[in-house]
Amino acid sequence: MTRINRAACVGGGVIGGGWIARFLLAGIDVKVFDPHPESQRIVGEVLANAEKAYAMLTGAPLPPRGKLAFTTTIEAAVADADWIQESVPERLDLKRGVLNQIDAAARPDALIGSSTSGLLPTELQRDMRHPERLFVAHPYNPVYLLPLVEIVGGEKTSAATIKAAMDRLVPIGMKGVHIAKEIEAFVGDRLLEALWREALWLIHDDICTVETLDDVIRYSFGLRWAQMGLFQTYRIAGGEAGMRHFLAQFGPCLAWPWTKLTDVVDLDDALVEKIGQQSDEQADGRSIRELERIRDENLVGILQTLKGSDGGKGWGAGKLLKDFEATLWADGGNPETPRDTSQPLRLIETKVSPAWVDYNGHMTEHRYLQVFGDTSDALLRLIGVDLAYVEAGHSYYTVETHIRHLGEAKLGQAIHSTCQILSADEKRLQLFHALYDTETGETIATAEQMLLHVDSKQGKAVTAPAEVLVKVNAIAAGHAKLAIPEGAGRHVGQKR
Amino acid sequence: MTRINRAACVGGGVIGGGWIARFLLAGIDVKVFDPHPESQRIVGEVLANAEKAYAMLTGAPLPPRGKLAFTTTIEAAVADADWIQESVPERLDLKRGVLNQIDAAARPDALIGSSTSGLLPTELQRDMRHPERLFVAHPYNPVYLLPLVEIVGGEKTSAATIKAAMDRLVPIGMKGVHIAKEIEAFVGDRLLEALWREALWLIHDDICTVETLDDVIRYSFGLRWAQMGLFQTYRIAGGEAGMRHFLAQFGPCLAWPWTKLTDVVDLDDALVEKIGQQSDEQADGRSIRELERIRDENLVGILQTLKGSDGGKGWGAGKLLKDFEATLWADGGNPETPRDTSQPLRLIETKVSPAWVDYNGHMTEHRYLQVFGDTSDALLRLIGVDLAYVEAGHSYYTVETHIRHLGEAKLGQAIHSTCQILSADEKRLQLFHALYDTETGETIATAEQMLLHVDSKQGKAVTAPAEVLVKVNAIAAGHAKLAIPEGAGRHVGQKR
């Protein structure tokens, strides 16, 4: 996999900050130049949101966070970077000036992406000495959760640059989409702009309020578009007769005088005030921070849902997340890492996700078993039972579990789990997991599990191979010196 | 709650079929008139999809399915209905004729909704004798999963009709949104139309392919719009400075010559063929049925995710689902229902949801505990421990669980659970659950659980009140005559 080694970000607002978070969380060092007096605070806020979201998004092991440094010149930020991302305000003269400075100071092989949402790369690269490595890399807010990056080249951009840019987005969990021809606003903002114009007319003409309009979107086609886009949705609507039939049937509607798009709405004071007031009512007293939190939790949940789609293979943005996690596991779940076996192994670190809590904000019963199941999976990877092993036809199956609830985990709480091997033989693996409140160290729950090594095609228990048993025994030998934990061997209702 | 008692559907295509499914699954009898020779097959297919989706969507008890009857005349379909839904093709003369026939045959107090996606209610009601009860009720495909219904009145529509229509959508799980003024295509299709026109130009001009365009949507703003709409999203983008600031900042872009919306694209043969070919490539060999299945599974998962949002209170379409389930539980989870206590109680009937399976299509470990937790919840409702009881400050908490895995549940498989009370005292409730393959009767898993009656504010075990204990003891007395099930009292790893 082709990776970014050192990144530079010129401009650290909400968009620049989102890029910085993506790089840092992927383990990439980032140098930032932004003359704004509060740039460190702004970047810090975006980064805090991103870290919170990632902790809920994935249980896969993130690499050690990259180093963040702020510089006082563009030159110092970009000199040793191999990906430079420009995210300064949307003015052609300003962007050109900044890009020319970057161009002069950067390594000749560095990739230079612009976050512009509308300017043409041909215009941006006009005065550069090495224009072939300039491209548009246009992301969407919140950049740390929405994976899309529109990649657009200008007349002088080389094909090698486009390919290199697309490749390097994969290890940071993003989805590069190459737009074939450059036009102002590219594809996403074109579509948004069309809908936005129409929306403004609907409010202007009092057909509906901003809340009604948002409800129309989020109770109907918004749900469709999170997983399939426009054309795939219409393909289904066309039924067995297919896309061509759909177009024949609905095409003529295009000529009907429905939309008011031939006019541009005048965003005068009255309309601005109307929208502002209606938006305040819709927010119902919720602050921007609170709305951000809800948005991020919802996005996390939707991404996780799509990860489980299509029989567990993943779909759309969820498949991307699944693939991203696979690379994280491959990098971070290194089974060769020597580990201290004089203590139970500390395996899962996570935060209680919003999808995991009940009405009262307490972690739902079955999510405890989810964390314990993840703990077993983490142990299995340590003994060489990873995805490749499972796909080759063998695995360990859980046959029995005993859970005790000793406390409560709450929304957002940092928790971690440990695993102690109680006993092991050629087929069996008896484990004792504990779940802790990371802050207080209090034990929240425990789980004892029996796992059997199976041939998954035959569906029966078989002896594990020597290379697995060697690793099992190395840990089990260390753990044999530990005391049997309180609660092990209990049956339900047993007197203490 | 105001409910529909008897519904009639005139027109039973994909949209009419969706309405029929919504009514039937809410326990409402439906009479259908559709002269199409294959109407029974088409309605049957939509209904089968809807039932599959509902089984995965909710564990709440659906009422007994309403009765479905096909009639040979409009008059026979509508005579005794109190909600009549017209879903015939989009031609004004045709719709007017059908609505006039309905008008003549229906009870004077019946509500008449039209599924039109573009025609004005004032035009539709022009020749009706009782035009005051005609309104547009415009749903979105798939009607059985997307909750939105745009409610639009014409000049002669009464305010009472609009209110009655909005109220009656709640018990069938739909979200009525009242559009203040009638315009062609209302709000949703206006927005879709704007985006659709722009999308067609982007394909026509080879800026991107249909797959690229769909990816742009579903990896970015599609994820946003499933939960917040356009304005709420932009409110957040505006940051602490708010909506008015956002408009001031981005308003001027509207005047930029970005979109091509002033022109209408010519959907000639070449463009239709281009889109058709690109759509085939995008589908990658997947049939419409397969895409429908994936779409429905994704929608189910997204709705369930949003149900858990905002600390379990639910958000948007997920909050609607939560409220809908509350009414289902209130209706169907009647704790007074006398039950046979000579056998374990059969409590949960469901299908293995796509969100529940792993890569191999097997139900994930922690989902077993989810079904067992739902089984305990269902028992608790039978003894009077429902949501109101919990909100008043007392509940039963699970303190210990022992699970045995004896088989495997697979994607889509019908499963059900039973519960036997092993022992009960003033504070404790010891339960034994079993999970079965409904088709073969095979036991897939069992769970033994100890629950404690607690004061949730004090966080300590307290004696349950007499009215709960009476119900507990009535069931426990019956179950005392049953044998102790095999596996009860086991500890992990115990020899058989």
Side-chain angles (χ1 to χ4, degrees), chain A residues 190 258 279 298 305 309 449, chain B residues 190 235 258 298 305 309 365:
Chain A
R190 281 278 171 132
W258 277 359
S279 177
N298 289 340
T305 296
S309 171
Q449 294 200 299
Chain B
R190 282 279 171 130
R235 181 183 182 88
W258 278 358
N298 289 340
T305 296
S309 171
E365 198 174 326

Side-chain angles (χ1 to χ4, degrees), chain A residues 69-88:
Chain A
F70 288 84
T71 67
T72 52
T73 62
I74 287 182
E75 289 70 20
V78 307
D80 62 355
D82 52 347
W83 180 301
I84 299 153
Q85 187 68 27
E86 169 273 307
S87 311
V88 306

Side-chain angles (χ1 to χ4, degrees), chain A residues 291-340:
Chain A
L291 289 172
E292 258 178 4
R293 176 184 62 73
I294 293 170
R295 177 198 63 188
D296 285 2
E297 290 175 1
N298 289 340
L299 290 175
V300 164
I302 292 169
L303 289 169
Q304 287 176 337
T305 296
L306 294 178
K307 194 182 89 173
S309 171
D310 200 14
K313 292 196 287 288
W315 183 263
K319 181 161 188 332
L320 188 78
L321 174 58
K322 195 179 178 76
D323 295 345
F324 176 51
E325 287 184 328
T327 70
L328 291 174
W329 280 118
D331 295 346
N334 183 354
E336 303 308 322
T337 314
R339 286 185 176 253
D340 175 9

Side-chain angles (χ1 to χ4, degrees), chain A residues 140-141 147-148 175 177 179-181 183-185 188 190-200 202 205 207 210 212 214 216-220 222-232 234-236 239 244 251 254 256 258-259 261 267 273 276-277 279-280 283 286 288 291-292 294-295 298-299 301-302 305 308-311 315-317 354 358-359 365-366 370 391 397-405 408 430 449-450 489-493, chain B residues 140-141 147-148 175 177 179-181 183-185 188 190-200 202 205 207 210 212 214 216-220 222-232 234-236 239 244 251 254 256 258-259 261 267 273 276-277 279-280 283 286 288 291-292 294-295 298-299 301-302 305 308-311 315-317 354 358-359 365-366 370 391 397-405 408 430 449-450 489-493:
Chain A
Y140 286 75
N141 191 43
L148 185 70
K175 166 83 177 175
V177 162
I179 308 300
K181 293 184 187 175
I183 52 170
E184 292 88 348
R190 281 278 171 132
L191 299 173
L192 283 170
E193 171 81 4
L195 196 134
W196 176 234
R197 284 193 193 202
E198 188 73 20
L200 289 174
L202 292 167
D205 293 347
I207 308 301
V210 302
T212 304
D214 278 0
V216 165
I217 293 176
R218 71 199 185 120
Y219 288 92
S220 66
L223 295 166
R224 296 199 293 227
W225 287 354
Q227 32 119 19
M228 294 181 182
L230 185 69
F231 284 96
Q232 186 95 282
Y234 286 164
R235 182 185 182 87
I236 297 177
R244 292 162 184 85
L254 284 172
W256 296 0
W258 277 359
T259 66
L261 295 164
L267 256 183
E273 191 47 34
Q277 272 186 20
S279 177
D280 290 348
R286 285 191 175 85
I288 296 295
L291 289 172
E292 258 178 4
I294 293 170
R295 177 198 63 188
N298 289 340
L299 290 175
I302 292 169
T305 296
S309 171
D310 200 14
W315 183 263
D358 63 17
Y359 186 83
E365 199 175 325
H366 68 275
Q370 182 173 351
E391 284 180 344
Y397 282 4
T398 305
V399 291
E400 205 168 1
T401 298
H402 176 265
I403 301 169
R404 295 182 310 153
H405 296 273
E408 277 175 332
Q430 189 171 2
Q449 294 200 299
M450 181 67 78
R490 249 185 87 84
H491 62 79
V492 171
Chain B
Y140 286 75
N141 191 42
L148 183 70
K175 167 82 175 174
V177 162
I179 308 301
K181 292 184 188 175
I183 51 169
E184 293 89 349
R190 282 279 171 130
L191 299 173
L192 282 169
E193 172 80 3
L195 195 133
W196 176 235
R197 283 193 194 201
E198 188 74 20
L200 290 174
L202 292 167
D205 294 347
I207 308 300
V210 303
T212 304
D214 279 359
V216 165
I217 294 176
R218 71 199 185 121
Y219 288 92
S220 67
L223 295 166
R224 296 199 293 226
W225 287 354
Q227 32 118 20
M228 294 181 182
L230 185 68
F231 285 96
Q232 187 95 279
Y234 286 164
R235 181 183 182 88
I236 298 177
R244 292 162 185 84
L254 284 172
W256 296 0
W258 278 358
T259 66
L261 294 165
L267 255 184
E273 191 46 35
Q277 271 185 20
S279 176
D280 290 348
R286 285 192 175 84
I288 296 294
L291 289 172
E292 258 178 5
I294 293 170
R295 177 198 64 187
N298 289 340
L299 290 174
I302 292 169
T305 296
S309 171
D310 199 14
W315 183 263
D358 63 17
Y359 187 83
E365 198 174 326
H366 68 276
Q370 182 172 353
E391 285 180 344
Y397 283 4
T398 305
V399 291
E400 205 168 2
T401 299
H402 176 264
I403 302 169
R404 295 183 307 154
H405 295 273
E408 279 175 332
Q430 190 170 2
Q449 294 200 299
M450 181 67 78
R490 248 184 87 84
H491 63 78
V492 171

Side-chain angles (χ1 to χ4, degrees), chain B residues 94-154:
Chain B
L94 175 66
K95 283 202 185 266
R96 264 198 197 136
V98 166
L99 287 169
N100 292 344
Q101 264 186 283
I102 292 171
D103 185 40
R107 286 168 25 189
D109 63 339
L111 296 168
I112 305 174
S114 170
S115 298
T116 182
S117 55
L119 302 172
L120 296 182
T122 293
E123 294 291 321
L124 294 173
Q125 71 194 168
R126 194 190 64 186
D127 305 329
M128 287 172 68
R129 286 189 309 172
H130 292 289
E132 72 283 353
R133 36 84 174 265
L134 182 280
F135 55 96
V136 166
H138 176 233
Y140 286 75
N141 191 42
V143 178
Y144 51 84
L145 279 177
L146 297 185
L148 183 70
V149 184
E150 288 174 291
I151 297 290
V152 196

